[in-house]
Amino acid sequence: MRKTILTLCASVFAFASINAFAQTEAGHGFVGAKSGIGFSSAKTSTKVGGKTTSDPSVNAFNLNLNGGYFVIDNLAIGGLVDLGVGFTGDDSAVAYKVAPKVTYFAPVDSQFRPYANLYVGYAGLKTTTKNQTDNKTVSERNGALAVGGGIGVAYFLQSNIALSLELGYDSQISNKKVAEETVTTTAGTFAPALGFTLFF
């Protein structure tokens, strides 16, 4: 009886593992989301002439949606949409990114699947600030080339549901005319992210 139960358990785990591997075969697809929420409160205060002032708190939210279709086994072509919003006092910033994306899963028949992805697209930023002298609100828009990618591992909870942990890199390159001179700004960021993915 014990031998039968062990054989049954081994068969179930093998079947789950095979199904997890099959989800990245050609003809399948996936949709996923990654998000991060960050809050901070200023602890710095300044006292001038008996008047004390402190920096405002900062609140931020970011949501990343992505998806893809496996054109060949383990290689998916798709895209991503990223939206970030931040507030501090009377100032705010809204950032977004849209890009095609390529994702490759290592051909490992396991519940743990290493992967890597690359993307090239467009990033936009709108900032709104209030001038303290005349209380006028000033808005500015900027655009940039977004290039990035990441490496991570997906853990299949079931054959079509996975959690992921990824270390990603994002680089944004923008050009701006200042006094007839072209100013190029490059900003790069490394950041870890947790994700949730559905395979179908």
Side-chain angles (χ1 to χ4, degrees), residues 2 4 21 48 61 72 95 128 144 157 160 166 171 181:
R2 184 178 177 184
T4 304
F21 182 69
V48 179
F61 173 76
I72 61 174
T128 303
L157 300 173
N160 63 336
E166 178 181 320
S171 175
E181 291 288 337

Side-chain angles (χ1 to χ4, degrees), residues 114-131:
Y115 67 89
N117 59 62
L118 294 170
Y119 63 82
V120 178
Y122 178 81
L125 174 66
K126 179 185 177 183
T127 57
T128 303
T129 58
K130 181 177 279 190
N131 193 324

